[in-house]
Amino acid sequence: MEAFDEALAALERRLAGEEPEEPLDPALASAVAALGGDGPLDLERAVALLSVGVRLLERRARLLLPPEPGTRAAPPGEEEGAPGSAEELAGRLSEYRSFREAAELLRRYEELQAGRFPGGGGDAAAAGTGLEGLTLEDLVRAFQRVWEQSRPAAPQEIPREAITVEACMDAVLARLQSEGEVEFTALFEGQTTRRQVVVTFLALLELVRLGRVRVRQERAFAAIFVSLRRNEP
Amino acid sequence: MRSGLRALIEALLFAAPEPVPLGRLVEVCGAAEGEVRAALAALAEHLAGEEHGIELAEVAGGYRLFTKRRFAPQVEALLAEGRPRLSPAALETLAVIAYRQPVTRLEVEEVRGVQCDHIIRQLLERQLIRVVGRKEAPGRPFLYGTTPLFLEHFGLRDLSELPPPERLGGGA
């Protein structure tokens, strides 16, 4: 990804007016090519490229427009702070760069601090919620998909299922103990009624609340995995 | 320094689940602030020795015991779980919030040029940021600020340990 970072930096310099405008297409194309690579698409970098690319194209498009009636046609970069002017865009880019630098600094602090483990009941920051790479809302959304596939009970049926949240919690823990990491949707396999599905999800939420399981998602839209947290036998 | 004060503080910090502020130590130990400060300095010096695997650090406005960095691989292996790291986007969002707080989601998005609602929700759930109020503007949007856990996560005593904005590239 070094090639991509260099290509992105070149585009940023162009946006800041530090490099000549022409030609833009090959520069964008080389950044896109470097982004593709052989591995999976890096969404973070793709968003950074889109952000810079859109700003460059926006500026280019503005230069193609005729000047507003009654205004002097100013050469590129001389619009003196007008909204969307090269000057303003360069200012915003400079501001963004300084926050990127601050983020890099935070990453170094995080790296240093990651090598020290606190005493006294562990690391509250690391313990967090047990959700990694996803929010509770994402988890509920994933459950909605499972819910839509589950079958509502027949109206004439009076269910008398001896299923409890506690029993489901034990079942989920037992499965995680034997299988290690389990995909979220796999927890619901074989459950045909909505009652079973709901109780299993409640059991999972309770295990998350108690800090007994870890739920992680590597990146947006990827599969969600559930595993035991440390200290679980 | 009162006899046994250093050992008492060591016991308190060993048991505490979060950084303990100086005032709280003074209160629990029933000693003068100067005595507690001296005992803390003595404890830090004592633990810094090669024969100890833990050290005393001042983070998030308090004192806490940590394992020494050189033992990180073994401690991590024992706990069988690394400390989750933040994504570049989350770090960038946190940087904006840390320097600009109190700040609205829209203001963060203006700087980053992309939507940040998902990342802000993640940071709220991890308790690295919190809602500190509402902006007196149309829609009264939430204002966000960092939390003590933010300081602890990055090993900072307080926000003044972050370099001043003018020392960053473009001057945040």
Side-chain angles (χ1 to χ4, degrees):
Chain A
M1 277 298 160
E2 206 170 297
F4 172 77
D5 291 337
E6 278 172 21
L8 186 66
L11 286 172
E12 286 178 338
R13 285 196 296 276
R14 184 162 303 190
L15 189 56
E18 293 166 12
E19 281 194 4
E21 282 288 318
E22 301 291 341
L24 181 57
D25 289 356
L28 274 174
S30 69
V32 171
L35 176 68
D38 293 331
L41 180 68
D42 184 333
L43 282 180
E44 303 288 352
R45 286 187 159 89
V47 167
L49 175 60
L50 269 178
S51 174
V52 172
V54 163
R55 288 184 213 188
L56 274 167
L57 291 173
E58 184 189 7
R59 193 169 87 189
R60 181 61 58 90
R62 193 170 290 114
L63 292 175
L64 295 174
L65 289 173
E68 289 280 325
T71 60
R72 183 179 64 87
E78 289 185 14
E79 291 129 325
E80 299 196 358
S85 66
E87 186 183 297
E88 191 218 349
L89 285 169
R92 281 172 60 180
L93 182 67
S94 161
E95 180 188 45
Y96 175 61
R97 273 182 180 166
S98 55
F99 282 115
R100 280 244 308 249
E101 202 175 299
E104 176 55 28
L105 187 73
L106 287 179
R107 193 195 58 74
R108 288 202 297 269
Y109 286 160
E110 184 183 48
E111 195 74 34
L112 270 178
Q113 188 64 1
R116 301 199 304 183
F117 291 80
D123 184 356
T129 57
L131 301 177
E132 290 173 29
L134 75 166
T135 64
L136 195 55
E137 208 170 281
D138 294 328
L139 190 61
V140 171
R141 215 172 289 133
F143 174 66
Q144 276 172 344
R145 288 193 287 275
V146 174
W147 171 258
E148 280 155 16
Q149 287 164 11
S150 66
R151 176 174 60 83
Q156 71 277 17
E157 187 183 330
I158 302 172
R160 190 183 166 82
E161 290 176 285
I163 179 168
T164 64
V165 173
E166 289 77 13
C168 270
M169 284 168 66
D170 290 341
V172 169
L173 286 175
R175 182 156 178 198
L176 296 178
Q177 273 158 6
S178 66
E179 295 180 31
E181 201 166 47
V182 175
E183 215 237 308
F184 173 74
T185 52
L187 287 177
F188 303 91
E189 276 169 7
Q191 299 184 347
T192 51
T193 69
R194 290 193 156 178
R195 184 183 170 87
Q196 286 174 319
V197 167
V198 168
V199 175
T200 303
F201 187 59
L202 288 176
L204 180 65
L205 289 179
E206 185 63 6
L207 290 170
V208 170
R209 190 185 71 79
L210 295 172
R212 300 186 68 180
V213 299
R214 187 165 75 121
V215 185
R216 68 172 186 88
Q217 187 177 34
E218 285 295 330
R219 59 184 183 281
F221 311 117
I224 295 170
F225 289 95
V226 185
S227 60
L228 290 177
R229 296 196 77 180
R230 63 183 182 216
N231 303 329
E232 279 295 326
Chain B
M1 192 199 336
R2 209 177 69 186
S3 160
L5 186 56
R6 188 184 83 181
L8 170 60
I9 289 175
E10 186 177 9
L12 294 174
L13 296 181
F14 177 77
E18 57 192 12
V20 186
L22 179 67
R24 184 77 180 128
L25 284 175
V26 168
E27 192 184 315
V28 175
C29 295
E33 187 179 314
E35 281 184 317
V36 173
R37 278 188 192 280
L40 282 165
L43 179 61
E45 195 183 333
H46 173 67
L47 293 176
E50 281 293 311
E51 70 275 22
H52 292 283
I54 56 171
E55 62 189 0
L56 176 64
E58 196 180 345
V59 289
Y63 294 88
R64 193 162 196 191
L65 295 175
F66 288 93
T67 58
K68 287 183 179 170
R69 286 195 181 95
R70 66 175 187 273
F71 301 122
Q74 293 87 346
V75 177
E76 204 166 308
L78 172 76
L79 299 177
E81 192 176 299
R83 301 174 75 184
R85 308 288 169 88
L86 294 166
S87 68
L91 286 169
E92 214 173 273
T93 305
L94 261 180
V96 179
I97 294 174
Y99 276 96
R100 286 280 170 86
Q101 59 186 309
V103 65
T104 65
R105 178 178 57 81
L106 200 63
E107 287 162 350
V108 176
E109 289 175 349
E110 273 170 12
V111 173
R112 295 198 60 228
V114 290
Q115 284 200 338
C116 298
D117 48 347
H118 184 79
I119 289 173
I120 284 180
R121 271 202 303 276
Q122 275 189 351
L123 295 174
L124 281 169
E125 283 183 7
R126 289 192 65 171
Q127 299 169 43
L128 294 169
I129 61 169
R130 64 193 171 99
V131 173
V132 293
R134 281 175 175 268
K135 188 170 184 173
E136 291 306 328
R140 303 194 66 230
F142 286 131
L143 287 164
Y144 298 99
T146 53
T147 64
L149 265 185
F150 164 83
L151 297 172
E152 211 183 325
H153 185 82
F154 295 103
L156 301 169
R157 283 193 194 95
D158 52 47
L159 287 172
S160 70
E161 282 205 326
L162 288 172
E166 58 273 15
R167 273 182 47 202
L168 296 172

